Amino acid sequence: MPTFGLIVGNRGFFPAHLCQAGRRDILIALEKEGIKVVALPEEATKFGAVESLADAQKCADLFKAHREEIDGVLVTLPNFGDERAIADTLRLACLNVPVLVQATPDAPSKMGIAHRRDSFCGKMSACNNLKQYGIPYSLTTLHTVSPNSEEFKKDLEWFAGACRIVKGLKNLRIGAIGARPTAFNTVRYSEKLLEANGISVETLDLSEVLGRISRMKDTDEAAVQKLKSIEKYVTTSGIPQQALVKMAKLGAVVEDWMKAVEVQISAVQCWTSIEENLGVVPCTVMSMMSDSLLSSACEVDVCGVLGMHALQLASGSPSALLDWNNNYGSDPNKAVCFHCSNLPKHFFKDVQMDFQAIIAGTVGKENTFGTCVGRVKSGPMTFARFSTDDFAGKIRGYVGAGRFTDDPLETFGGAGVVEIANMQKLLHYICENGFEHHVAANFSTVAPMIYEAATSYLGWEMYRHGA
């Protein structure tokens, strides 16, 4: 449940009684959406609104006292509002969270001096001052919108999602387990650019993982419990027991390390050290983490798992990392998205454990058990990709929406057919701008949340496909 700080704008020579009713209406709307509120009491200022520097200081002090709780701030304008007091409140509070500006519409039948709001005009003045103060903000879909309308309900859902993303990526810690596979120059990234954006990378060498596994007994409680979790998670018929035990130990070691160093998500080396030195693939362990909202990407694709995490924060559901892998016949708006796979169970119509067909030819089938294979189910899909651009010194990306279809497909691994409007334009954009072949995907429609969070509050350069 998100928590919003509430600023009620007021301007003395406009009808102040509108603030009292407006404050009440906005609180009702927020309560209906399950949003907690930090707001000045009615008695603290005139109707709990801000229209002076003194009011702004009171509201800012209240916000600072609840700094750790507040995910975003809603500015509501039941009348013109005092634009300086609004901006001063945000500057003094120093919350550094997303801000949504809402203005309540006038009624043509109530345009006399006693009821006219002028919020339509006041919103422009408020935004002008926020821009002057260097405070980023978001806008409702309609310039003026009633607090009890369906349109504002959707605005709140969108804004709450953007707040979750911004908060979830702030001080994020990503675990990079193993070295980037030599052949995958594509997944190179800049730790320094991520660090400059408040995202830290904690590394763990595969030798440490393998060493800890070698010292773990089959009867250790952590291994026993992880084995039970694996057998409960996915069908393991035909998989050698010793391979399952190895996966369990791998999962136990990774889980213990992530808790110890406080990383939320991970990117793991696969090709081909784990297969050659442990004798399994890490796919099921990673699938289980992603399905539990602890996103995990293969091939040490740190920026890939960042996209997975952003989508998961927006939607509240598991994300996957996929290859833009194949054309689908002659349809220019369809493609096959694929991985070997470590897709979360959430993505499949049905799933079972198998061996990794691609690597098996190199390291032997007996060393590649542990993939999660099946057909991706149909449904709406949001895709996202972030990348560190060392030449420009910035993080950039793209986001958009499509759908997974039920089109027939005979292949191995985890695969699905995706349909995206004007897909050839997207593919040209990816290639022209040198983006990776990996893309994060999620069963949701959250592209607007990702775009708003990344562009307005994180300062990342984004292309929104289909906007």
Side-chain angles (χ1 to χ4, degrees):
M1 179 183 296
T3 298
F4 289 173
L6 177 65
I7 299 174
V8 181
N10 184 38
R11 198 157 199 165
F13 50 81
F14 286 87
H17 70 87
L18 295 174
C19 286
Q20 186 175 34
R23 181 180 182 276
R24 180 198 63 225
D25 291 346
I26 209 81
L27 287 173
I28 290 172
L30 293 171
E31 183 180 11
K32 281 183 179 179
E33 298 309 307
I35 298 170
K36 295 181 180 179
V37 181
V38 175
L40 283 172
E42 274 195 316
E43 62 274 12
T45 61
K46 184 188 290 184
F47 301 131
V50 295
E51 57 176 316
S52 66
L53 181 60
D55 293 345
Q57 187 66 68
K58 287 181 181 180
C59 192
D61 288 344
L62 176 66
F63 286 176
K64 284 189 283 189
H66 295 271
R67 178 185 305 279
E68 297 304 315
E69 303 166 45
I70 295 175
D71 302 308
V73 172
L74 173 61
V75 175
T76 182
L77 297 172
N79 66 21
F80 189 97
D82 189 285
E83 63 267 31
R84 290 183 61 194
I86 291 166
D88 283 337
T89 300
L90 291 165
R91 172 183 278 176
L92 293 168
C94 295
L95 295 179
N96 194 28
V97 297
V99 176
L100 178 64
V101 184
Q102 174 269 338
T104 303
D106 276 305
S109 60
K110 293 183 177 181
M111 292 287 282
I113 194 69
H115 295 284
R116 203 172 95 171
R117 300 177 183 275
D118 283 14
S119 306
F120 186 102
C121 184
K123 182 174 180 177
M124 298 177 192
S125 293
C127 292
N128 175 278
N129 274 258
L130 292 177
K131 184 67 73 172
Q132 289 188 47
Y133 280 51
I135 298 170
Y137 55 90
S138 300
L139 302 172
T140 53
T141 304
L142 299 175
H143 183 68
T144 56
V145 62
S146 176
N148 61 7
S149 67
E150 189 64 28
E151 290 84 0
F152 186 57
K153 178 181 177 181
K154 292 177 181 177
D155 286 332
L156 286 176
E157 180 183 359
W158 162 76
F159 181 66
C163 289
R164 287 193 300 273
I165 297 165
V166 172
K167 183 177 182 179
L169 298 186
K170 191 182 295 183
N171 301 319
L172 177 66
R173 290 169 60 80
I174 302 175
I177 302 171
R180 169 185 61 79
T182 300
F184 284 85
N185 278 359
T186 1
V187 298
R188 287 173 170 173
Y189 68 97
S190 169
E191 281 194 48
K192 291 182 178 179
L193 284 178
L194 291 175
E195 195 70 68
N197 284 268
I199 299 168
S200 298
V201 178
E202 188 79 12
T203 61
L204 179 67
D205 194 87
L206 268 189
S207 65
E208 297 181 63
V209 175
L210 296 172
R212 294 176 194 183
I213 290 172
S214 69
R215 294 188 293 273
M216 183 179 286
K217 297 177 182 178
D218 293 359
T219 54
D220 282 0
E221 184 64 18
V224 171
Q225 292 304 316
K226 184 58 68 175
L227 178 58
K228 289 180 180 178
S229 298
I230 290 172
E231 292 174 333
K232 184 178 179 181
Y233 178 76
V234 63
T235 301
T236 59
S237 176
I239 307 299
Q241 185 65 22
Q242 192 53 43
L244 294 172
V245 172
K246 289 177 183 179
M247 291 176 223
K249 289 182 180 181
L250 173 63
V253 166
V254 170
E255 182 178 300
D256 181 66
W257 175 76
M258 290 181 67
K259 288 179 180 177
V261 299
E262 298 182 25
V263 299
Q264 291 92 358
I265 56 179
S266 62
V268 182
Q269 179 184 350
C270 175
W271 297 59
T272 57
S273 180
I274 288 182
E275 293 79 11
E276 292 179 5
N277 295 293
L278 184 60
V280 292
V281 293
C283 301
T284 293
V285 170
M286 298 169 69
S287 172
M288 292 171 69
M289 288 194 290
S290 294
D291 209 61
S292 299
L293 306 185
L294 301 172
S295 298
S296 188
C298 54
E299 294 153 14
V300 202
D301 189 351
V302 167
C303 290
V305 79
L306 184 61
M308 292 173 67
H309 190 54
L311 288 167
Q312 177 255 300
L313 289 167
S315 67
S317 63
S319 298
L321 191 70
L322 294 159
D323 283 356
W324 295 116
N325 212 74
N326 310 89
N327 60 290
Y328 187 76
S330 60
D331 193 325
N333 290 324
K334 289 183 180 179
V336 176
C337 284
F338 167 89
H339 247 160
C340 307
S341 80
N342 60 11
L343 307 189
K345 189 166 64 173
H346 176 76
F347 266 65
F348 291 106
K349 290 181 182 178
D350 51 70
V351 60
Q352 66 179 32
M353 190 186 292
D354 206 340
F355 71 97
Q356 215 278 38
I358 297 176
I359 303 181
T362 304
V363 301
K365 176 181 175 180
E366 69 278 6
N367 294 315
T368 64
F369 289 105
T371 55
C372 291
V373 304
R375 179 65 192 273
V376 174
K377 64 188 179 184
S378 61
M381 170 253 218
T382 301
F383 58 87
R385 178 72 212 186
F386 300 124
S387 184
T388 53
D389 185 338
D390 296 60
F391 297 106
K394 61 188 177 185
I395 295 177
R396 60 193 179 108
Y398 62 85
V399 66
R403 68 183 185 96
F404 285 108
T405 75
D406 281 322
D407 288 309
L409 183 66
E410 294 296 328
T411 188
F412 56 94
V417 177
V418 63
E419 182 176 29
I420 298 168
N422 204 5
M423 190 173 192
Q424 295 304 306
K425 180 182 178 182
L426 171 65
L427 296 173
H428 276 277
Y429 180 84
I430 291 170
C431 291
E432 287 169 357
N433 290 276
F435 279 101
E436 299 80 353
H437 65 292
H438 285 167
V439 65
N442 190 279
F443 277 95
S444 62
T445 54
V446 296
M449 299 177 189
I450 301 286
Y451 185 81
E452 183 71 8
T455 57
S456 294
Y457 301 104
L458 300 175
W460 299 351
E461 181 183 288
M462 296 291 292
Y463 163 63
R464 183 178 168 190
H465 183 67

